[in-house]
Each structure stands twice: as structure tokens, then as C-alpha cells.
């Protein structure tokens, strides 16, 4: 099958550091190539792939100091994708609504996987204007703000099985982990309070976007002086693997409608359970009392910390293998093809 | 001729308050209707026009408190425009590069008038990808950042002749005027210093965008306590007319590559000369020693203040009538049609 994978351009595929969407695009693309599909990946030129790479810009935009306008390269890329639509049996976009107006001018079907939150009412208007598009949610919870659009399936993110090796026991000196991005909705402040009250060290491995710099300085930095708290900053894949494998548990005290939360399944892949707040996708990812605890308040999360030692790390790994492998993700997209004739 | 005029959606057409682009779209649209063309105006639903209005959103986005995403309505509108391209002989877009990818799918020619600054390098890449588009600059100076694209013409903005009535003499108590938007590149701080040094009152009639609120509070508000300075805020058309007509001179001490500067020709229409800094379009609009003074430093601008009393207000009006009428603007677009077969 001739598949166009159309990635955002903010990060390379896969990202060097942080970046959930482009990471998932990479895993899916490589798996589709492995399965024998003819995949063309539209992405930043520094991407690394076994698919045919069409470089939409020389470098990923987030870490490119020369980038002044990030929308224009996306529209330029999508323009090319749809000019070449006849070369593909399906166009799989990960670029929110940007390409939708172009879908009217081709009979090649478009599948649009949503990676972000969908609670802006303008989105519903543009989604509904293109009813022929197959929309994919990455959790059932993600659909809540746009119940009326043509949802074709929920396809959970998947990771290669060997990406995060299982670690049967935690590090000798147990610690909790906050991994990802410093921003108000990710609630690093909550993670810090939970760790302090639980009396366990917390390692914070997180990037700070320019937009969140003020929040970091005013709200988070003053909390970092506690002896239990260690701020590491943005980490690469190797550091991430070590941190995830060694942690007693991942703290995920988010307070926003998280569409998926890739870091939760990265933790599970290592055998590390997750203590999370019940928001967005969380109850779909974490199996209460098996792979972690789904809480509402900080008090509940503090109380969950001693309980994670009773969870089996093998059960976490098993849940990951059964529910969140890249093979399953690719399979789900192929199933979609059977019902909707798109993949 | 069947013409689609495609406006930005930030303001209604014409705007209630501030808003240069939508104002010019309105003047051009009404003149084209008057000339007998069949004009379809794609704009916000609260727009007022003699053309056929296609409402791309219920209300203009800038003053709509419900607006969460201003790009989606633009892409939705452009999608509809190009799906209906065969209904038009020409599509005239004022929506920067947003619609360019859609132009590949129609033989109806697109004219794109640029209203903003063009010094972001990503713009050149997307402009050059669509060489069939006729690009219109609103001053020759505007082209400097994108010399390599297909510039079809410079068409200066034009106003209806009766919009701002000529006022033969200034008000009994002379004052200087700063009119427009509070932002660092418009240099209201400079206007305040010039007025104080010249010893004349300055009226500041300007909107403050949320993005510029901090600048206003930290940099401008502390300067407003001077007895010569009066801050009026955002004004409507009637207030603007009175201010422009009564002013001794318009101060336009901008420090950015102004693409056009509509307020300069609004002042000239009233017979009010302009004291401006030599940036962007300024030397093309202001005729030195005839309709105002083109300066570099604040000292030069202070020195120009007593000299404006020697300029003839009739000469300002005459320059406006000869160079910046809506008739001339419409004529220039029609000339374009003769050479490029687009209008």
C-alpha cells in the first residue's frame, strides 16, 4: 500500500529530545515500512527513517533558531502532499486541521489522527465541513469536546517492544519521576508536593518551552530548593530510558484533558507503575491497582506512593506489551482500512 | 467581471474601530460594485457591503470574546472560496499565504495583496512555490524583504473621496495627533517626546492590543502624566474624522518597515500634513515640504513642527485626491487585469 505519513515539523521524526507526536509518527512509519508498505514520510529534513523522506523544511522548527513562522512550512508541505495525492492510496495526516481544505481536491482518502486537545469550538466547524475525513482519536476521552465529528476509531499510541527494556526491580535508592514538560497543566508543582509529603526523592526531567519560562521561574523554581527535589532539565532518549527504568513510579498529576500521555506507556514498558490524576485519557491507560493508581487529589496520590511497591513490575510490562505495542497500533490502522477502505 | 474579495476575519468589513486591511478591502469592494462588477465578499458575518456577502464566521474575530482559534476560520473560508473557484473570474485574497496551497487546484487566477511585513524568510519559500500568483505590494518598500517573488504591481491604498472631508484650517488651539495602535514599532513614546519638546499638545487616539498591554503599562503610561499629553484610547470613525481634521499635523514616528500606513493618507484627505520617520513606505507617501516632512531623528521631527504651519492644507488634500483615491486603487487593479489577464 502506498501511504503518505504527514508529520508536524516542530520536531524531527523521531525527535532528538521531547516530542510526542513526531515520536509516534516515527514508530508507526517504521512499522508500516517493516510490514512492506511503500511509505512516504513528509517531515523535517533532519528526520531519520526507512521510509522515503520528503523534507518539508531543512530542520525541525522548534530547535531552529532561524524559524520565524512555523505555519508557512506546514501549509507548504500540505500543498505538496495534496498536489501529489494520486501517488498515494491513503494520506495519513498528523497536522490537525491545517490540510483539511485541500482534501476536497482529491479522491485519495485522508485519515487525520488528532494529537492535541480539541476543546476549541472553531475546530468543530472546520472538522464538520469535511465529513469525508476519517478522524482518529488517541483516546476515547479525547472525543468529548467534539462528539459530532466522523470518528472512525480510537487508536492508542504504541511503542516498539524493545525501545524501553523491562527492568525487573527498581534502583536501590527509590525515587519518583516527573518526566516531560514544565507547564501549568502538567502540574509539576503538584508532583513536588506529593513527593515531599511521601518523603521520597523526585527527579524532574522536563523541558521548559519559552512560553512556559515565566511559569517555571515564578512557580516552579522556588519549589526546587527542597533536598528531595532534583531538577534535571530536558533529557535525551538514553537518559530517559535510565530514569524510567529506575523509578519507583511515574508521577503524572496532570490537570488538563490529556489526549494520551505517551510517557505513561513508556513507564509501563519499563515495568514502572504510574500514579496519575484522573484527567483525559488516564483511566484508559492506567489499570487501577494493576499498573498504577488513578487518583483525584494530591492526598490520594501521596497515599498511593507506598502502595506502588505492592504492584508487580511484570504486570506493568505485560499491560504495555498487550495494549500499547507499535504492532497493535499498526494493526488498528490496518483494521480501519478493512472497514473504511482507507488503509 | 465576477470577483471574489477574500478578507481577513479579524475585523468586520469595514471595521467598527481600528483595522487597516479590512477597511481597504471594504473601500475596494464597494468601488468594484459601483463600477458594475459582480463581487462576492468573503468576510466576517457582521460585515456591511453592497457585494454579495459570504459569512465565513458570525462575527469578526478580534472583538469576539468566544474566539479561541483564529486560523481555523480562515482556512475554512479559503477552502470554500477555492471549492467555488469556477464561480469567479478572479480571486483576490488579502489573507497572506494561507490560501496559496489551494491555488494549485483551479485555473481561476489569484491575486494576493500583501498587507503586512514580509521579513520572515519562510514567506519567500511558500510564495516561490506558487509562481502563478500575482503578488501586489502596497508600497515599493514592502518588496525589499521578498525581491524574488512575482510582483505584479504596487497598488497604493485608496480612500473614498468623501470619507474624510477636507478642513481648510486647523483648530484654534493647535495640537499634534498620534492615531492608531500602541505598540513598540509605532513609537508612541517618540511622539510624546516630540510633542513635549515642540511645546504643543499631543492627542493619542490608539487601541492597545492584549499583546501590547505590558508595553503600554510599563513604557507609555508613565509618560502620559505630562500636561501636554492626552490619551484618548481607541476611537470610532466619527471621532477619528474630527481628530484628523482638527490636528495641526499627524505624528508618525514609526520605527519599523511600515508596509503602507493608512493613517497618513487619512490625514492628507483632511488636509493635515504628516511628520514621519523615514521607514518603509513613508518616503513614497509623504512628499517632503509639500504634504509633510520625512525625518530620521526626533530632533528633526521637533524642528519640523513649526514648519508644518507653512504647508498648504490644500496641497495635502490635492495629493490625496490625485494619488490615494479609491478610484485610483480600483483603476490600478483593473490595469493589472489588462497586463496579466486577472482583473
Amino acid at each position: 500500500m502506498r501511504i503518505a505519513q504527514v508529520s508536524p515539523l516542530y520536531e524531527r521524526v523521531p525527535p532528538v529530545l521531547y516530542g510526542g507526536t513526531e515520536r509516534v509518527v516515527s514508530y508507526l512509519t517504521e512499522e508500516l515500512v517493516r510490514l512492506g508498505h511503500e511509505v512516504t514520510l513528509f517531515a523535517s529534513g533532519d528526520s531519520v527513517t526507512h521510509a522515503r523522506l520528503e523534507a518539508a523544511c531543512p530542520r525541525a522548527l522548534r530547535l531552529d533558531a532561524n524559524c520565524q513562522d512555523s505555519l508557512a512550512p506546514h501549509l507548504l508541505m500540505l500543498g505538496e502532499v495534496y498536489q501529489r495525492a494520486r501517488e498515494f492510496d491513503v494520506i495519513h495526516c498528523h497536522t490537525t486541521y491545517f490540510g483539511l481544505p485541500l482534501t476536497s481536491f482529491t479522491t485519495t482518502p485522508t485519515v487525520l489522527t488528532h494529537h492535541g486537545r480539541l476543546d476549541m469550538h472553531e475546530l468543530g466547524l472546520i472538522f464538520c465541513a469535511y465529513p469525508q475525513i476519517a478522524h482518529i482519536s488517541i483516546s476515547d476521552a479525547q472525543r468529548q469536546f467534539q462528539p459530532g465529528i466522523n470518528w472512525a476509531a480510537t487508536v492508542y499510541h504504541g511503542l516498539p517492544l524493545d525501545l524501553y527494556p523491562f527492568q525487573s526491580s527498581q534502583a536501590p535508592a527509590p525515587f519518583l519521576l516527573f518526566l516531560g514538560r514544565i507547564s501549568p497543566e502538567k502540574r509539576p508543582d503538584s508532583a513536588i508536593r506529593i513527593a515531599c509529603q511521601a518523603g521520597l526523592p523526585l527527579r524532574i526531567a522536563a523541558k521548559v518551552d519559552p512560553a512556559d519560562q515565566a511559569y517555571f521561574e515564578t512557580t516552579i523554581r522556588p519549589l526546587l530548593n527542597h533536598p528531595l527535589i532534583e531538577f534535571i532539565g530536558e533529557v535525551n532518549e538514553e537518559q530517559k530510558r535510565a530514569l524510567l527504568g529506575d523509578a519507583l513510579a511515574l508521577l503524572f498529576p496532570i490537570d488538563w484533558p490529556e489526549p494520551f500521555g505517551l510517557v505513561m506507556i513508556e513507564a509501563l514498558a519499563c515495568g514502572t507503575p504510574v500514579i496519575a490524576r484522573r484527567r483525559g485519557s488516564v483511566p484508559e491507560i492506567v489499570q487501577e491497582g494493576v499498573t498504577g493508581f488513578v487518583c483525584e487529589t494530591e492526598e490520594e496520590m501521596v497515599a498511593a506512593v507506598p502502595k506502588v511497591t505492592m504492584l508487580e513490575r511484570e504486570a506493568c510490562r505485560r499491560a504495555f506489551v498487550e495494549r500499547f505495542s507499535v504492532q497493535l497500533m499498526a494493526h488498528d490502522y490496518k483494521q480501519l482500512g478493512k472497514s473504511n477502505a482507507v488503509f
Side-chain angles (χ1 to χ4, degrees), chain A residues 23-308:
Chain A
R23 190 175 306 280
V24 171
V25 172
S26 172
Y27 301 147
L28 178 60
T29 297
E30 301 311 303
E31 179 65 12
L32 291 170
V33 170
R34 205 188 60 77
L35 291 171
H37 295 293
E38 188 185 315
V39 186
T40 304
L41 173 64
F42 292 83
S44 69
D46 49 356
S47 296
V48 179
T49 180
H50 290 97
R52 186 172 58 184
L53 176 64
E54 292 291 346
C57 57
R59 279 173 305 282
L61 302 177
R62 182 173 72 94
L63 300 174
D64 182 353
N66 291 322
C67 176
Q68 299 172 287
D69 182 316
S70 66
L71 178 63
H74 283 95
L75 296 190
L76 183 57
M77 168 175 73
L78 286 157
E80 192 191 336
V81 168
Y82 282 91
Q83 276 186 56
R84 294 173 47 184
R86 271 173 300 186
E87 298 176 27
F88 311 114
D89 299 311
V90 62
I91 297 171
H92 186 180
C93 284
H94 302 266
T95 47
T96 174
Y97 59 78
F98 294 171
L100 288 182
L102 293 156
T103 61
S104 306
F105 300 99
T106 178
T107 53
T108 302
T110 292
V111 175
L112 176 54
T113 295
H114 294 280
H115 291 264
R117 63 194 289 175
L118 301 175
D119 52 349
M120 291 165 288
H121 69 93
E122 290 89 356
L123 301 188
L125 299 176
I126 192 164
F127 295 153
C128 290
Y130 301 94
Q132 74 281 17
I133 303 303
H135 294 267
I136 307 297
S137 47
I138 56 176
S139 65
D140 292 340
Q142 191 191 26
R143 300 183 181 188
Q144 67 172 308
F145 299 111
Q146 302 293 345
I149 67 178
N150 176 28
W151 290 113
T154 288
V155 178
Y156 291 132
H157 288 341
L159 308 179
L161 290 175
D162 56 358
L163 190 69
Y164 294 97
F166 174 60
Q167 201 154 319
S168 59
S169 65
Q170 79 248 24
F175 66 91
L176 301 168
L177 178 65
F178 178 96
L179 182 71
R181 185 159 56 87
I182 296 291
S183 71
E185 72 270 19
K186 297 282 189 180
R187 297 299 302 275
D189 60 319
S190 201
I192 291 169
R193 279 192 298 273
I194 292 162
C196 292
Q197 283 172 40
L200 273 181
L202 175 70
R203 297 192 192 166
I204 303 176
K207 74 161 177 174
V208 185
D209 277 336
D212 295 312
Q213 193 67 45
Y215 168 73
F216 176 68
E217 296 299 338
T218 59
T219 309
I220 301 307
R221 198 188 282 286
L223 305 177
L224 299 179
N225 278 329
H226 194 284
L228 286 174
I229 308 301
E230 180 186 0
F231 181 75
I232 300 171
E234 190 163 0
V235 294
N236 63 27
E237 275 298 284
E238 199 180 340
Q239 294 170 293
K240 196 166 136 182
R241 215 170 275 131
L243 285 164
L244 281 168
D246 286 345
L248 177 68
L250 178 79
L251 285 189
F252 199 62
I254 48 148
D255 195 7
W256 77 304
E258 179 74 53
F260 185 82
L262 200 56
V263 68
M264 290 191 284
I265 67 169
E266 292 171 337
L268 296 182
C270 300
T272 300
V274 178
I275 300 173
R277 201 187 306 268
R278 186 187 304 281
R279 293 287 182 276
S281 64
V282 162
E284 296 172 60
I285 311 293
V286 178
Q287 293 163 281
E288 177 74 13
V290 179
T291 63
F293 295 98
V294 180
C295 309
E296 184 58 43
T297 64
E298 286 182 12
E299 292 65 38
E300 288 173 30
M301 280 184 262
V302 172
V305 172
K307 291 196 283 179
V308 289

